[in-house]
Amino acid sequence: MLCISFTRIVNLLLLLSAANVLAGPLASRGPRIVHEKRSPHAAATWQKHRRVDARAPVPIRVGLKQRNIHEIEDLLYSVSDPASPKYGQHWEYHEIAQHFAPEDETIAAVKEWLAEEGFGPERVRLTSTKGWIEIDATFGEAERLLDTEYHVYRHDDGSEHVGCDEYSIPAHVRHHVDLVTPTVNVMRKRTSSDNPRRSLSKGGIVRGPKTNGKKVAAAVLPTDLSTCDTMITPDCLRALYNINMSPTETAVNTFAIVEFTPQSYVQSDLNMFFANFSPSQVGTTPILVSIDGGEPTATVENSFDINGESDLDFEYAFALTNPQPIQLYQAGDAVEGASFNNYLDAIDGTFCTFQGGDNPQFDGIYPDTARGGFKGAESCGIVKPANVISVSYGGDEAAVTAAYFQRECTEYAKLGMAGVSVFYSSGDNGVAGNGGECLTTRNQESTRGTRFNPGFPVSCPFITAVGATQVDPGNPVTAPEGACEQVIFSGGGFSNVFGIPSYQSSAVASFFANHPPPFTAAQFNNSKTSRGYPDLSANGANYVIAIDGEFSLVFGTSASSPVVASMVTLINDARIAAGKGPVGFINPSIYSSAFASAFNDITHGGNQGCGTAGFTAVTGWDPVTGLGTPNFPNLLAAFLALP
Ligand SMILES: *[C@@H]1O[C@H](CO)[C@@H](O)[C@H](O)[C@H]1NC(C)=O
C-alpha cells in the first residue's frame, strides 16, 4: 500500500506568511464556542514558529452541515443489504445530490453570520455543490472571524504548515457547520531538499509498495504452479481462488484503478509482463482519465518508488480480467500531487457539485500556480464512476481531525448508493500505521508509541478494506493460505473514530467472544463498538512484476486490493450478462449468512506491530484477514443469486 499523509502544501500561504508579529485578534462579538481543536498528535509534533502576516490572503471555506446525512447509512444498506427489498436499486447521482443538499436555512444562517462579520454577499461564494461557502479573506480577517490566531508551525524535520490551535464560531451557527478550513489540521511543507519531481511528499505520498530487493531472472520465471509459495503469478491467483471465467460484457462493464501522481505505470513494463504471462495483452494500455493534470510520467522517473504501485496494479488487474478495459484515474500533476478528495471530485460530480469538495489543507488546489503545475480548472465530475474502483493508497486516522474524515467517509457511502464498489488496501504495517508508527498514550503518532494505529480510509465503514495473505513457504498452491508474514503484515484492527457498522456486528462479536485478543484498552479500541477491518483479503506476497525492465518480487496489500477488485469486476460482468446491475457496496452481502461459503477462512498468521505479535487470524472474521480470501465460484454464485 502507498501511504497518503493527508498533508497539503498551500505554497501561497507559506510564501506570504511573514515573520512580523501582529496584534492578537480583536475581542469577539457575542457568545462564541470552540468548534474544533487541533489533534493531540498535531499539537505535540508541531511547534509554533511565527505569526502569519495578517495582510496575507487565505481562502476560508465553511463546510455546511448536510441535510438528511443521518439517513445515509440506512439508505446505503437499503440498496446493498441482500435482505432489503430494494437491494440493487441504486440511486442516480442527481437524486443523491438533492437528497443531501444543505437546508436553505443552513446556507442563510452562515451567510448572515459572515455578513455581520463584514463579508458581504459580493465576497461570499456558495459552491455549486452547496456543500461549502467560500470567502477570500486575509489572515487578519480570518482571525477575527474565528476568534483565533494563525501561526506557522514547524516540525522537527523542518516541515512547516499554517494553522491555528482552535477556532470558535457563534453558538447559533454551530449546528449548521461541519468544519472551517484551513484551521486545525496539518498541511505540511517539506524541506527544500526534496526534489519536487521525485518528492513523494508533495502529493502526500510517503512511500511505496514493498520489495524484498530480489530480481527474478527471465530464465527462472514460473511456468507452472509449483512455485506459488515463492513467486505469485496470475495463474497462481487463478488456482488459489478458482478464477475461471473470461468476461463478455467488457463494452458495458467498467473498472478503474486510482494512482496518485507521481506514481505512474510504464507501458514497456506492462508489455514485458504480458509477453510472459498474458501474451494476447501485449500493447494493452489503461484508459487514462486525467484528474487535475495527472499524467503517467514514468518513463522518465524509472524507479521502484515511482513505478512499483502502478505497474503492479495494472499488470495483475489486466491479466485477471482480460479482455476488460481498465480506466486509470491518474490524480494530480507532478507538482501538487493530489489527495483522495481530488479523485473523488473527478469521479463523482456530486462531491464537488454538491457535497462539499475539497479541503485546501489536504487537497491539491487547481489551477496550480506553481511552476509546472496544472493550469486547467479543477477536474470535477468529469467521468461517471466505474462500477469497481481500487485504491492502494492510505493514511492514518490519527493524522487529522475526525470532522474531515467523517465528511470524506460519507462520500464513499454516496458512491455505494450509486452502485460503485470501492476497495482499499488495508495497509502493510499490521496493527501499526504508516512508517510503522504507533500511538502514544496521548494519541500521538510515534515510533515509540505502543498503541495500535488504525488506517484511514480503511476504517471508514463504507468502503471494502482488503488485507493480505500468503502461500506459506514450502506449501503447494492447494494448501490453505495464512496471513501475510513476509516483508509486510496485513493492516488490521479497530477504528478509534468510526462505530461498528451493523453488517459487521455479529462477526465482530463472535471474534471477541471466541477469540478474545490478548490486549487491553491500552493497546487498541476494545470497546467492541468500533469498526473492525479488513473485510476480506487476498494474496499479497511474492508477486512477480515487471518493473523498470526487470522482473522483481513485490509484497503488500497493494497487490491484494486490485486482485479482489478484479474478481468483483468479473462478478459484475456475469451479473450484467444475466440482465442485472453491478453489486455496488459489497460489505452487507459478504458478511451475510448466504455468503458463508464464499470465503476461504484464513486461520493462522498474525499482523504484528507496535512491539506486539498483533492480532491472530482465527476461525471466522478476524482483524488480520477479515472474512478470508474469495472462493471465486461460490462468491460469484452468491452474487448471481441476488436480484
Ligand atoms: C472507540 O471507538 C468508538 C467508536 O465506536 C469511539 O467512540 C471511542 O471514542 C473509541 N475509543 C477510543 C479510546 O478511541
Side-chain angles (χ1 to χ4, degrees), residues 404-477:
Y404 180 78
F405 284 166
Q406 291 285 5
R407 209 157 157 125
E408 182 172 324
C409 186
T410 60
E411 289 313 295
Y412 294 110
K414 291 177 188 171
L415 285 174
M417 285 175 68
V420 177
S421 310
V422 181
F423 296 93
Y424 265 89
S425 52
S426 72
D428 295 343
N429 294 285
V431 294
N434 284 346
E437 288 187 337
C438 301
L439 300 174
T440 66
T441 48
R442 283 180 304 180
N443 220 29
Q444 300 152 12
E445 290 189 280
S446 162
T447 47
R448 294 182 303 276
T450 53
R451 199 171 144 74
F452 301 170
N453 188 4
F456 182 83
V458 280
S459 67
C460 168
F462 309 134
I463 60 101
T464 302
V466 186
T469 56
Q470 67 178 19
V471 178
D472 294 325
N475 270 2
V477 72

Side-chain angles (χ1 to χ4, degrees), residues 172-185:
H172 71 279
V173 292
R174 268 202 91 200
H175 64 286
H176 295 302
V177 172
D178 278 344
L179 74 175
V180 181
T181 70
T183 51
V184 295
N185 288 310

Side-chain angles (χ1 to χ4, degrees), residues 259-609:
E259 306 290 350
F260 292 91
T261 305
Q263 303 299 314
S264 183
Y265 75 95
V266 184
Q267 186 63 45
S268 56
D269 287 342
L270 269 50
N271 290 344
M272 182 177 167
F273 181 86
F274 295 146
N276 278 274
F277 297 111
S278 192
S280 69
Q281 291 184 291
V282 173
T284 303
T285 192
I287 301 165
L288 175 65
V289 176
S290 174
I291 296 173
D292 296 329
E295 278 174 48
T297 54
T299 44
V300 282
E301 299 290 359
N302 264 27
S303 83
F304 183 86
D305 287 346
I306 300 292
N307 305 331
E309 184 70 62
S310 303
D311 278 354
L312 164 68
D313 293 347
F314 283 99
E315 289 171 12
Y316 277 83
F318 269 126
L320 292 174
T321 61
N322 185 21
Q324 172 66 46
I326 305 178
Q327 295 174 327
L328 160 60
Y329 294 165
Q330 183 79 41
D333 64 26
V335 176
E336 283 266 341
S339 77
F340 296 129
N341 277 345
N342 289 100
Y343 97 84
L344 281 170
D345 283 353
I347 60 172
D348 178 1
T350 69
F351 193 72
C352 50
T353 59
F354 149 70
Q355 184 268 345
D358 301 329
N359 178 337
Q361 292 172 289
F362 310 123
D363 307 324
I365 300 303
Y366 294 95
D368 179 350
T369 49
R371 208 177 160 79
F374 175 57
K375 294 294 188 290
E378 184 175 1
S379 300
C380 188
I382 56 175
V383 62
K384 185 172 189 295
N387 293 332
V388 170
I389 298 174
S390 177
V391 196
S392 292
Y393 297 76
D396 298 334
E397 267 183 2
V400 295
T401 63
Y404 180 78
F405 284 166
Q406 291 285 5
R407 209 157 157 125
E408 182 172 324
C409 186
T410 60
E411 289 313 295
Y412 294 110
K414 291 177 188 171
L415 285 174
M417 285 175 68
V420 177
S421 310
V422 181
F423 296 93
Y424 265 89
S425 52
S426 72
D428 295 343
N429 294 285
V431 294
N434 284 346
E437 288 187 337
C438 301
L439 300 174
T440 66
T441 48
R442 283 180 304 180
N443 220 29
Q444 300 152 12
E445 290 189 280
S446 162
T447 47
R448 294 182 303 276
T450 53
R451 199 171 144 74
F452 301 170
N453 188 4
F456 182 83
V458 280
S459 67
C460 168
F462 309 134
I463 60 101
T464 302
V466 186
T469 56
Q470 67 178 19
V471 178
D472 294 325
N475 270 2
V477 72
T478 48
E481 288 188 274
C484 188
E485 295 186 316
Q486 298 171 64
V487 183
I488 68 105
F489 295 90
S490 182
F494 296 89
S495 173
N496 291 324
V497 179
F498 294 102
I500 191 167
S502 56
Y503 59 75
Q504 197 183 45
S505 53
S506 108
V508 170
S510 100
F511 168 75
F512 279 110
N514 301 323
H515 308 279
F519 306 116
T520 67
Q523 274 101 20
F524 78 110
N525 189 332
N526 68 349
S527 62
K528 306 180 187 176
T529 62
S530 76
R531 151 81 161 148
Y533 71 97
D535 297 298
L536 78 179
S537 51
N539 192 288
N542 297 301
Y543 276 60
V544 178
I545 69 165
I547 164 93
D548 299 331
E550 294 178 298
F551 286 103
S552 294
L553 297 182
V554 301
F555 301 75
T557 53
S558 275
S560 314
S561 179
V563 166
V564 168
S566 295
M567 287 190 256
V568 173
T569 294
L570 295 175
I571 288 167
N572 279 341
D573 184 277
R575 279 181 55 95
I576 292 167
K580 300 180 177 191
V583 292
F585 181 51
I586 66 169
N587 293 13
S589 299
I590 63 177
Y591 283 87
S592 72
S593 56
F595 283 67
S597 70
F599 293 93
N600 309 304
D601 195 3
I602 305 297
T603 56
H604 66 272
N607 59 353
Q608 63 173 254

